[in-house]
Each structure stands twice: as C-alpha cells, then as structure tokens.
Amino acid sequence: MYIIIVGGGRVGFYLAKGLLEENHEVLIIEQNPAIRESINDELGSICTRGDGCEVATLVEAGTGRADMFVAVTGEDPHNLVACQLAKTKFKVPHTIARIKNPKNEGLFKKLGIDVTICSTNVILEHITEEVPTHPITRLMQIRDRDLEVVEVRVTAGSASIGKTLKDLSLPAGSMLSVIIRKGQKPIVPVPSTVLNEGDQVIAVTPSETEESLRSALRGQ
Amino acid sequence: MKKIVIMGCSRTGGRLASLLDAEGYKVTILDTDAYSFRRLSPDYKGKALVGNGIDQESLKKAGIEEAEVFIAVTQGDNRNIMAAQMAKHIFNVPRVICRIYDPLRQEIYQTLGLETISPTTIFADMLKKQVDG
C-alpha cells in the first residue's frame, strides 16, 4: 500500500517506521528542514518538504495514487484540512486524522474523515483502565459493524455475584464469549453459569448497549 | 438587527467589526490575543471576547447559537476553514463567510459549499487591472 503521512513528529516518525517494517510504501510530508533531515538519515529518503494542506505539495507527493492518508501534526485544523483535501480533491479511499481536542471528534466525522484518533482520549482511557475498580475495558472496536469487544470485571460488592447468567437482564445483541476465572481454564458461558467475584467477562456488544451490559453484569 | 460573530481581530477583522457596529449590527469579535482589540475603532460598542474560534465553548460564549452571520478572518487559512465548517455544520449558522489566502484551497472549499473569499486572487486581479490601465 502507498501511505502518505502528514507531520514528521514523534507520531509520524514511529508510524512510518512501523509501516516500513510491514513493507509499505511510505512518504512523510514535513515542513521543518531539521526534522526532515533526521528522518531521512534514520529511515532513508522518505520525507519530502512541503505543507500537507497545499495542493501543489499533495500533487507532487502523488496523493492521487495513495491508498491511505494519515494526518498527525499537532494541530487539529491542519489535520482536518489535509484530510479533507486528500478525500475530496484526490479521492483517497481512507483518511485518518489525529485530534487533540476531544470535542472535535464529531466535527471531523461529520466532514467525512474516515477515522479519527484522539490522543487525549486514548491516554485517558489507558490510565483509567489501570484503576482496579474500573468496570469496563474496551479491547477492540469493529468499526464498520459498530460492535465492540469488551472486558467487564465483576468486582467485589457487585450484586450479580452468585447469580446465574439467565437471571441477569443482559441487553439484546450483547453476547458473552468467555469468562476468565482465577486458577481455572476459561469457561464458555451458558445460561446456568454462576458469576463469581473477580470474574473477567469477555463480551461482544453493540456500542450503544455497552453501558447496559456493564450494569447487567455487575447487577445494578 | 442581525447578530454577527467575527473570528480574528486582524486589521481586516477589526475594521469590519467597527464598520458593521457603526451600521447598527450586533457584533461580537473573538481573538486569542486581547492586544489585537486595539484595532477596533474608539467608537466600537460591540463585544470583544478573548477566545479561540476553533473551540466550540468559545464560540458558544460568543453567541454563535443566535448568530445569523459568522465571519472567519484569522491569519491562518486552516483555522478559518475549520471554524467556518464548525459554524455551518455544528451550529447551523445561516450565513458563514471564510477568508482563505490560498487560491487553490479557496476554490476547493467553495465547491464544498462554503462561502469563501481569497484576498490573494482579488488583489492580484486589481493590481493587474491597474497595470493594464
């Protein structure tokens, strides 16, 4: 695949490095000459000079034949405009933008950016997952189907402890896949399975019922 | 009278705000730097708020939800484009005008439905006419 990255900061650099290792064709667009030089020294001549929001630069970069376009500068407006140009002018099928301000996520989606990654939210989510009482962890998102794979922890004091699964009012569409219990092999849940304290329940759920799945499994 | 929110108290923004205010429009001007408000006319009676126009909270404080016109005239093309699209698509402001210096970007966003003006194109045309006599 041909992948264009706008912004050669830390995110752009390590992204390019990873993609090169997977044998993709990668081009970084970066304005700062010092950054450009250090990237070209370390990764080979993959960094070009220019402004990723300027049509001339994008033409020169061969944006028309790019399979993916990723904007990871530290500025939300730059990332938005670069991706919009790639999408509308050059018809790049897949555009990804990094977002700093979580409030901008809705706007970017509305304006047709395919995927947005909000660094602030990602960091917050990972830190809160480390809190032992944190009830739900998103393990994976299946974007095009709007499904999530989540882990729900049955923490001490949950009203669901000792109850069978059929007694819990699980939301329609959610499916429990496996229960991980200390000192045992993973259990494939059936309606008569009884929940224990400390159980980790792995489930597939539509994004909108994530919250009701959490409360059902914790017996609230 | 119509409510107008202007983002960016540049020379253009400050002058425009003063002109519209003198005609009786209810004007609010936003800038990230309070020092830029020196460009407003001494008779300006509208509001001047320190805030970032690409932040939805600042726009709300500036009264974007009741505004009938939003004008983005900061020095940054991309900032203007983002704020203008926010005003149009999130806050449904009936009329949104956006300055874009880069003629190519201006053309593209015009076709995407934004009302855009490129001072570069206009001024170059004027100068050419002047030279042509």
Side-chain angles (χ1 to χ4, degrees):
Chain A
M1 276 215 271
Y2 179 34
I3 302 165
I4 296 179
I5 301 170
V6 179
R10 248 173 246 127
V11 179
F13 175 83
Y14 285 104
L15 175 64
K17 200 166 178 228
L19 291 171
L20 285 171
E21 280 163 16
E22 291 182 18
N23 294 320
H24 292 294
E25 180 189 354
V26 179
L27 180 77
I28 299 180
I29 300 175
E30 169 63 48
Q31 279 181 306
N32 183 324
I35 294 178
R36 212 167 50 238
E37 210 169 293
S38 82
I39 291 175
N40 285 342
D41 278 351
E42 275 197 62
L43 300 180
S45 305
I46 60 153
C47 191
T48 180
R49 176 176 196 167
D51 177 349
C53 301
E54 228 155 56
V55 176
T57 308
L58 294 177
V59 169
E60 211 176 300
T63 310
R65 64 175 186 89
D67 302 290
M68 240 172 129
F69 188 95
V70 191
V72 289
T73 76
E75 296 285 333
D76 288 4
H78 296 344
N79 295 340
L80 173 70
V81 170
C83 281
Q84 277 192 301
L85 293 181
K87 191 101 215 155
T88 57
K89 176 101 184 151
F90 298 93
K91 313 283 178 227
V92 179
H94 210 65
T95 52
I96 302 176
R98 169 189 178 185
I99 296 181
K100 265 185 147 173
N101 185 344
K103 281 185 212 138
N104 289 334
E105 237 163 355
L107 178 75
F108 278 51
K109 285 260 160 72
K110 212 168 194 172
L111 295 175
I113 312 306
D114 297 297
V115 178
T116 56
I117 314 280
C118 178
S119 35
T120 316
N121 277 352
V122 171
I123 295 167
L124 287 182
E125 210 161 289
H126 277 94
I127 294 175
T128 48
E129 276 161 15
E130 291 305 318
V131 179
T133 51
H134 188 66
I136 191 160
T137 303
R138 284 188 203 100
L139 301 173
M140 195 178 139
Q141 251 188 322
I142 303 161
R143 284 178 202 276
D144 47 343
R145 305 291 295 274
D146 207 23
L147 288 173
E148 283 177 4
V149 181
V150 298
E151 176 201 317
V152 181
R153 277 179 250 180
V154 183
T155 49
S158 295
S160 58
I161 294 169
K163 286 189 180 158
T164 58
L165 294 179
K166 63 174 185 289
D167 293 334
L168 305 173
S169 47
L170 297 168
S174 296
M175 215 183 84
L176 307 188
S177 314
V178 69
I179 296 176
I180 299 165
R181 192 167 286 170
K182 245 199 178 130
Q184 288 189 25
K185 278 188 185 164
I187 306 159
V188 177
V190 290
S192 60
T193 305
V194 177
L195 281 180
N196 285 4
E197 183 182 325
D199 279 356
Q200 292 165 276
V201 184
I202 311 292
V204 183
T205 177
S207 308
E208 70 266 18
T209 54
E210 183 201 285
E211 193 51 39
S212 31
L213 174 72
R214 183 191 70 88
S215 20
L217 282 173
R218 313 227 311 155
Q220 288 152 354
Chain B
M1 222 21 183
K2 270 187 186 171
K3 274 193 176 177
I4 300 180
V5 175
I6 299 172
M7 168 192 172
C9 198
S10 53
R11 284 194 190 87
T12 310
R15 190 176 169 84
L16 176 68
S18 307
L19 289 173
L20 291 169
D21 175 67
E23 280 197 12
Y25 289 101
K26 289 183 83 178
V27 182
T28 300
I29 191 156
L30 262 180
D31 201 289
T32 48
D33 180 8
Y35 186 58
S36 65
F37 296 138
R38 72 188 184 283
R39 300 195 180 98
L40 292 164
S41 115
D43 305 324
Y44 178 75
K45 293 174 296 297
K47 280 191 214 162
L49 284 181
V50 175
N52 192 343
I54 54 167
D55 179 65
Q56 298 185 21
E57 290 308 310
S58 300
L59 286 177
K60 275 189 204 161
K61 269 187 209 146
I64 190 91
E65 285 155 312
E66 302 88 47
E68 282 158 85
V69 184
F70 177 79
I71 303 167
V73 282
T74 73
Q75 293 307 309
D77 281 358
N78 295 340
R79 254 178 297 153
N80 292 343
I81 291 168
M82 182 161 156
Q85 293 185 104
M86 224 178 233
K88 190 177 160 90
H89 298 287
I90 305 257
F91 296 108
N92 301 313
V93 179
R95 187 137 189 234
V96 174
I97 305 169
C98 175
R99 171 169 76 187
I100 306 176
Y101 282 108
D102 176 11
L104 289 171
R105 246 174 284 181
Q106 184 256 328
E107 251 174 61
I108 291 168
Y109 280 96
Q110 187 79 29
T111 59
L112 287 179
L114 273 187
E115 194 174 332
T116 58
I117 296 174
S118 168
T120 314
T121 320
I122 292 171
F123 193 51
D125 286 350
M126 275 174 59
L127 286 174
K128 186 177 169 291
K129 274 190 198 129
Q130 199 105 348
V131 172
D132 288 344

